[in-house]
Amino acid sequence: MTVPVRGTAALLTAVLIVAVTFIWLPAYRWFFLISVGIGIVIAGGIHVWHKLRPVREEDIEKKRPLGLS
């Protein structure tokens, strides 16, 4: 299924579909909340990891793996 809209209209359509699904299927609420919770925990962990261990230029082995200049 595709929606022939772009930009803000597409975002509003997606929000509307999620809202209708919340009302229509109560079990979807739990699935959505658990999924968002897991996503937030993983994103927070990645953010903290990169704050504590930033990628430095010398950590990158091959800056030009194809040999292009």
Side-chain angles (χ1 to χ4, degrees):
M1 180 173 111
T2 60
V3 180
V5 292
R6 295 178 186 244
T8 306
L11 179 62
L12 291 176
T13 303
V15 169
L16 180 66
I17 290 171
V18 170
V20 168
T21 307
F22 273 171
I23 295 168
W24 187 39
L25 298 170
Y28 182 74
R29 294 176 203 155
W30 287 110
F31 174 76
F32 186 77
L33 289 174
I34 291 169
S35 299
V36 168
I38 290 171
I40 289 172
V41 167
I42 290 174
I46 291 172
H47 177 74
V48 169
W49 175 266
H50 283 290
K51 281 285 188 184
L52 296 175
R53 300 172 184 260
V55 177
R56 295 183 309 265
E57 190 171 346
E58 58 267 9
D59 293 339
I60 301 170
E61 293 179 13
K62 289 187 175 183
K63 293 185 173 84
R64 301 187 193 278
L66 297 177
L68 303 173
S69 54

